[in-house]
Structure formats: C-alpha cells, structure tokens
Amino acid sequence: MDIKIYVCHHKEGPFFENEFFKPIQVGRAIAKKQLGGMIGDDTGENISEKNDNWCELTAIYWIWKNTNHDFVGINHYRRYLNFAENSQNSTISLDKNIDFLLYCSQNIVNICRSYDIITSPLCKIHQISSPNNRQTAYENYSFNHFESDMKLVFSIIKEKHPEYYEASQISSGLDICFFGNMMLMRRDIFNKYCNFVFSVLFTLENIIDTSKYDYYQRRVYGFIAERLSNIFVLKQQLLGGDKKAYHAGQISLPTFTRTYDFSELNTKLGFVNHPAQTAIEILHGGTVHLVISFDDAYMLHAIACIMSILDRASVRDALTFHVIHDESLGSPNISIIKRIFINAKIHFYDVRNDRFPGLLPRNRPHISKNTYYRLIMQDYLPREVSRIIYSDLDTIFLDDIIQLWNISMDNAILAGCLDEGGLTQSRKLFGKTHNKNYINAGVLLFDIQAAKAKYGNLRFLYAESLAKHVRNITLQDQDLLNISFVDDIIHLPLRWNVGSRIYGNNELDYAYSEADEKIAAENPAVIHFTGENKPWHADSTHPLKSIYLHYQERASQALQHAQR
C-alpha cells in the first residue's frame, strides 16, 4: 500500500522523513529562500503563489494535481498524526531527540486498511487558553474572523453543493472539531474532498475582498478550509455516507528557535568586576518610585530582585520602594527586610482589609493574590506618587533602573514590553479585533495620575473590563490591564522584560521582530523568569538561571544574618 503524508514547511528548521512522511515546502513560488532537502509545491499544476492566503492548501492542491498515492494527506512541521497503539484522539508533546517518526508510524498500514479517513484528534472548541469558554464552530469562527465570510460559504454550499448543506449546518452547531486540515484519506475520497473544498474556496475568492484584511485575517481560505474539512468528514461518515473515520493521535514538537552562546552570555552578564554605573540625571520628579508585592513565601526571591536593582542603580538614594502586602507578609519579615536594606527607602502598605482582589479570578495555582495588588495600588500610595515602575519579583535587573524610569511615555498611561505570546493572548481576548499591543505586566511604567484623569475610579474600570471579557481572561491582572488600557499603551524596548520563551521554545505567536528579540536576548536589562518552572526549582532548564542563583545565594546569606 502506497501511503504518503506530506509535511508542510514554510521556514528553515529541522525536517524529518521516512517511507510515510515526506517534507514539502509550501509557498515556494513566493518564498525568499528555497528550503533544501525537500520538494516544493510550485511544480506541475499548482497554486503556490497563493500561500500567504491559502496556507497549507497550496500543498493539498499540489498533492491533488500531481500525485497518485493510495492513501494521501498532510501534516504540519510541528504537528504529526500519531498512529501508535492507544494514541487515538490524544495529543502529546515529545522531545525532538526522540525518534518520533518511528513511534508515530506504528500501525499506520493496519489503520489505513481499516479506515477510509484519518484525521487529527477531535477537540473541544474554545478560545485559546480559555478551556471553560466552550463555543460552537460557528461562534468560534465569528469571534475570531469575519462572520460574513462564513455566511457566504453556507450560501455557496447551498447553491453549488446542496448535498453538503445539511452537514454544514450541523457541523457549525457542534462544539467539537479537528483542526489544521490534518488528514489522511483513501485516494478516491481525497479527490472528492478536494473537488468540494476548492470549488467552494475558488468561488469565495471571486466574491470577497481581502485587501483590507490584516495579515492574519488574509489567511481566510485556510481558516475556512478547516470548517469545510469537518463538514466533509461529517457528511462522509454520518449523513448518508458509509465511510469509516478514525481520529488519530497527534504529536506536537517543540518550536525550533534561535540558539545563543549561553556560556558567553553568562560570562558577559556575570557579576565579577561589572562596571560601576555613571550617575545619570533623574527625570520625572527626581525620585524613582518602584512598586512591588510579595508574601512570606516569596521573601527570598524579593530580596534577590531588590539586590539586583540596587546593584545596578547609579543613584541608589533616588529609589523609593513601595511594598503592597497583606497579612501573608508578617511583621517579623517586614522587620527583616528593613534590616537587610537599612540604607534603602522602603515603605509598606497593608491592604489586608481590601476585598476587591479577592473577587477577581485566580485560575493559575502558581500565581498568588498579590498579583492583583497592582490593580489597587493607586488607592494606597501617597498622593504625590504619580508615575511608578511596577515589577514582578521573578526578575533580575541587569541594567540601571533609572534608565527605565527616564523613558518618555509620550502621554500614554501604560508602558510595557510586548509579551512573548502577545498575539495569541490578544486574539483570545479580542478575537478578530485583536491588536499588536498586548504587553507583559511583569515590568511596567504606569502613570497613575493620567489614568485617574481619563478613567476616574480605576477599580470601576477593571470591574467593567472583567465583566465584558470574563470568559476569556486567563492571565488575570495582565489581561485586565491590557483590556482596560488597550488604547493607552506604548511599548518599552524588549530588553526591559526578557521572558523565558525568548531563550527556549515558544509555541505562542508574538508581535516583536526577530531583530528586537535578538537584541533583547543578547543584552537583557531585565531577565524575567516567566512560566511555572522558576530558576529556584531543581529541574529548571533556564540557560541563565545561574544569574538568579547568584542573587539567591546572596539573599540567603543576608536573610540568615538578619535573622540572628
């Protein structure tokens, strides 16, 4: 039996091949570079030049017109159908060093002998990172894309392919589907599938105007095809069809990212003989107001972060720390902090009686209630404090915080660095109206006075934002800040908040450029140890965790000394 699954690639990176899986470069006709070691979708009869809008469909079209395998289908370079025993309808992630092709090729011949259509796993439909927000296929498409396009698709099906119309309506009302157009089919069924899908899409292409769509929405034909694939399988399997369908497993591979010389970087960012900072003029009032929040359990990490800030500050006397806390930071530890940093200006504000943070959602177990205290700090800080820096404490500062303070906000309310998954998170919150402004809340410049002047009571603003988006909020205060000040955000240079994914694998979609990422990664001003696997955990794989561990050791010594 001749079985071939073509694996779609559009950029450089590792590729894998065996008797069943074969790599293919999609969009080769318009690609800047031809990828070596694989075929392209630009030979014979093809639509390769449409790849920007048609995505993996250019490969499907090429396969349809230029091959004749008994069973044929596609995968994506990071997602492979898995035919291994007991893998049906499951998704697993494998390390790239494992021979996953051998693993997932198991039983492929037997499955093809038993089934006519094989798809990727069926999934519950919901917004990205919002598993509790179940949606129908139609609701999901309308939220993320243009509903009018899907209505046109239904009209086209009703007129040109009425035999699929009932399936289209039933499929649109289901809250499960398979994604990615990842399928393997018997050749005659594959031909029938392509006749249906491309007939609908070529008709749609002649009707809609995508010239005003952004780069994401211009991929409309790929998004529509996912829905057509589900309609097709439903029709073949249930509604008058007798074809047997099998929902295979899926193997997800890591994103293969740029590598850095971490040995050199650790040395460059080291602590021996790092140059003394030259005092610089302090703008915006002459005092740097830094707001932080922690509890007893986070004491050591707070001390480490504060030490890193003071180490690099060119004018330490210009810094004032404001600690927002509740009863989980006890008086003994407050006294210890004051003894350790006896020469620093540190003020404490007890918000234990404030009920607002307790009403806000907490869906990530490793995040404490303290994360919400940045939303109420304006009610506790002295009135004269207007402009502030807020910093999480899973951070280490490697540059003068006064440089951050001096950055102009250009009359904006909030300044932060683009998040390492910002486009993914923005689409989750705003759907088709998503933007490229979603920032990480770990390091912020915030103009409290400007925020109050425009919005009045900020608690009301946050409550309204929560009410409108509660089903899609998963990153808690960060989501709320991005919703509340969506039109009032400017971006800081990425080096002021370098997240963990920049140094490793990033499966999320981000808005910053590769050039900005490289600059930030090689010259970080703040290393932000994002995610659950913190550098103080024994199994942490962060390549720069030694920088944190240096400060952790100093913090531990200072803590022991202060406790005597």
Side-chain angles (χ1 to χ4, degrees):
M1 185 182 297
D2 179 16
I3 302 170
K4 195 67 67 181
I5 302 173
Y6 288 86
V7 183
C8 301
H9 291 257
H10 67 276
K11 61 182 180 180
E12 287 189 290
F15 64 90
F16 308 94
E17 183 174 4
N18 68 6
E19 61 178 306
F20 302 118
F21 295 89
K22 186 175 185 64
I24 181 172
Q25 181 179 0
V26 295
R28 179 175 279 187
I30 56 174
K32 294 180 180 179
K33 183 176 182 179
Q34 181 171 310
L35 302 180
M38 65 183 71
I39 60 174
D41 64 356
D42 59 340
T43 61
E45 187 175 347
N46 70 85
I47 56 171
S48 181
E49 76 285 349
K50 295 179 182 287
N51 183 257
D52 283 346
N53 305 102
W54 289 63
C55 309
E56 65 275 357
L57 293 169
T58 61
I60 295 175
Y61 188 89
W62 182 89
I63 295 166
W64 180 32
K65 295 298 184 180
N66 298 282
T67 71
N68 194 32
H69 308 288
D70 298 331
F71 265 78
V72 69
I74 70 157
N75 280 186
H76 298 277
Y77 71 103
R78 284 187 53 239
R79 291 173 287 171
Y80 286 69
L81 292 175
N82 181 14
F83 301 90
E85 188 175 355
N86 300 321
S87 66
Q88 184 176 4
N89 223 29
S90 65
T91 298
I92 59 175
S93 297
L94 289 184
D95 185 89
K96 62 185 178 183
N97 294 321
I98 294 176
D99 187 354
F100 66 91
L101 278 191
L102 179 62
Y103 174 77
C104 67
S105 296
Q106 301 175 62
N107 303 317
I108 186 171
V109 174
N110 289 335
I111 289 173
C112 286
R113 285 173 176 162
S114 303
Y115 295 90
D116 308 295
I117 302 170
I118 297 100
T119 79
S120 55
L122 283 175
C123 302
K124 298 175 182 178
I125 303 174
H126 56 77
Q127 280 306 101
I128 297 170
S129 303
S130 302
N132 295 324
N133 183 8
R134 294 290 294 272
Q135 297 172 309
T136 66
Y138 188 81
E139 289 170 338
N140 182 265
Y141 190 89
S142 300
F143 182 81
N144 289 290
H145 311 291
F146 294 106
E147 182 180 13
S148 57
D149 292 343
M150 184 55 70
K151 287 183 176 180
L152 282 172
V153 168
F154 290 149
S155 297
I156 294 168
I157 292 174
K158 191 173 186 180
E159 179 182 349
K160 299 191 68 172
H161 301 277
E163 69 275 18
Y164 286 96
Y165 187 68
E166 290 177 353
S168 74
Q169 298 307 294
I170 294 172
S171 178
S172 70
L174 297 177
D175 62 357
I176 56 171
C177 71
F178 59 90
F179 286 104
N181 297 313
M182 289 173 56
M183 291 180 289
L184 175 64
M185 303 182 206
R186 204 176 68 213
R187 183 72 204 203
D188 60 316
I189 300 174
F190 178 76
N191 290 343
K192 183 184 292 187
Y193 164 77
C194 290
N195 275 309
F196 167 60
V197 169
F198 287 105
S199 171
V200 172
L201 294 180
F202 284 138
T203 303
L204 180 67
E205 186 183 37
N206 290 327
I207 300 173
I208 65 174
D209 178 9
T210 62
S211 61
K212 294 183 179 179
Y213 289 11
D214 66 20
Y215 83 99
Y216 181 71
Q217 297 299 340
R218 280 196 293 271
R219 294 156 56 187
V220 55
Y221 305 105
F223 298 136
I224 290 288
E226 286 184 305
R227 279 68 184 178
L228 294 177
S229 295
N230 280 269
I231 292 168
F232 178 82
V233 173
L234 180 64
K235 165 65 176 173
Q236 300 303 315
Q237 185 181 13
L238 297 177
L239 299 177
D242 59 357
K243 304 300 184 290
K244 294 181 180 179
Y246 177 87
H247 299 289
Q250 178 177 305
I251 288 181
S252 296
L253 302 183
T255 302
F256 303 108
T257 58
R258 184 186 298 107
T259 58
Y260 301 97
D261 186 337
F262 291 114
S263 176
E264 179 181 338
L265 197 53
N266 272 284
T267 300
K268 173 184 173 183
L269 302 175
F271 312 95
V272 179
N273 299 323
H274 79 257
Q277 299 288 336
T278 301
I280 58 177
E281 180 184 1
I282 303 165
L283 306 179
H284 313 299
T287 299
V288 177
H289 293 284
L290 177 64
V291 180
I292 56 179
S293 183
F294 58 95
D295 55 22
D296 289 340
Y298 228 76
M299 269 278 289
L300 189 64
H301 316 309
I303 295 169
C305 177
I306 295 170
M307 282 180 166
S308 75
I309 292 171
L310 294 173
D311 266 4
R312 306 289 173 143
S314 58
V315 187
R316 295 185 182 181
D317 289 345
L319 273 57
T320 298
F321 293 86
H322 304 272
V323 181
I324 312 294
H325 70 94
D326 56 26
E327 69 280 1
S328 62
L329 180 63
S331 297
N333 279 332
I334 291 176
S335 298
I336 287 173
I337 291 289
K338 290 178 177 179
R339 288 199 296 272
I340 291 175
F341 300 107
I342 191 169
N343 295 318
K345 301 170 187 173
I346 303 181
H347 305 293
F348 292 83
Y349 308 85
D350 191 337
V351 299
R352 73 181 65 193
N353 294 321
D354 198 312
R355 301 304 176 197
F356 182 69
L359 299 175
L360 299 174
R362 290 173 60 191
N363 55 295
R364 292 183 296 164
H366 69 289
I367 302 296
S368 73
K369 187 170 64 173
N370 291 67
T371 194
Y372 281 124
Y373 291 162
R374 76 193 81 196
L375 303 184
I376 63 171
M377 61 185 172
Q378 68 278 355
D379 296 327
Y380 294 91
L381 296 174
R383 183 168 299 180
E384 65 271 15
V385 176
S386 173
R387 177 188 176 101
I388 63 99
I389 293 173
Y390 186 95
S391 179
D392 286 345
L393 296 173
D394 52 352
T395 56
I396 293 294
F397 279 69
L398 298 174
D399 209 341
D400 189 349
I401 197 171
I402 296 171
Q403 293 186 26
L404 172 61
W405 178 260
N406 284 349
I407 293 175
S408 172
M409 293 183 67
D410 295 328
N411 298 315
I413 289 174
L414 198 61
C417 297
L418 289 169
D419 187 75
E420 56 198 2
L423 289 178
T424 299
Q425 304 306 337
S426 182
R427 290 180 194 128
K428 169 200 69 177
L429 295 175
F430 304 114
K432 57 180 167 287
T433 61
H434 76 277
N435 59 72
K436 297 181 180 180
N437 282 335
Y438 188 99
I439 59 174
N440 185 279
V443 179
L444 298 171
L445 277 173
F446 187 35
D447 190 329
I448 295 174
Q449 184 176 348
K452 287 182 175 180
K454 181 172 182 177
Y455 294 104
N457 190 318
L458 298 186
R459 293 177 186 238
F460 291 176
L461 174 65
Y462 299 139
E464 290 164 358
S465 298
L466 174 63
K468 292 177 183 177
H469 298 269
V470 64
R471 295 176 69 190
N472 290 329
I473 289 176
T474 57
L475 298 182
Q476 300 170 134
D477 53 293
Q478 179 169 290
D479 280 347
L480 285 173
L481 288 168
N482 276 279
I483 295 166
S484 300
F485 301 111
V486 62
D487 297 319
D488 306 293
I489 292 173
I490 63 167
H491 302 150
L492 297 172
L494 189 60
R495 64 186 297 265
W496 286 103
N497 190 347
V498 184
S500 297
R501 283 187 174 90
I502 284 180
Y503 292 116
N505 296 313
N506 190 357
E507 72 284 4
L508 303 176
D509 199 1
Y510 47 84
Y512 48 77
S513 68
E514 289 188 4
D516 286 342
E517 180 186 71
K518 188 174 188 296
I519 291 170
E522 294 180 349
N523 187 31
V526 179
I527 300 176
H528 187 184
F529 297 96
T530 52
E532 296 183 43
N533 197 8
K534 302 300 185 187
W536 50 85
H537 295 158
D539 60 349
S540 171
T541 58
H542 197 292
L544 299 179
K545 71 176 183 180
S546 64
I547 295 174
Y548 167 79
L549 294 176
H550 164 85
Y551 278 106
Q552 182 188 57
E553 183 178 358
R554 285 178 52 191
S556 180
Q557 292 172 355
L559 190 57
Q560 292 174 19
H561 181 76
Q563 289 172 333
R564 292 172 185 167

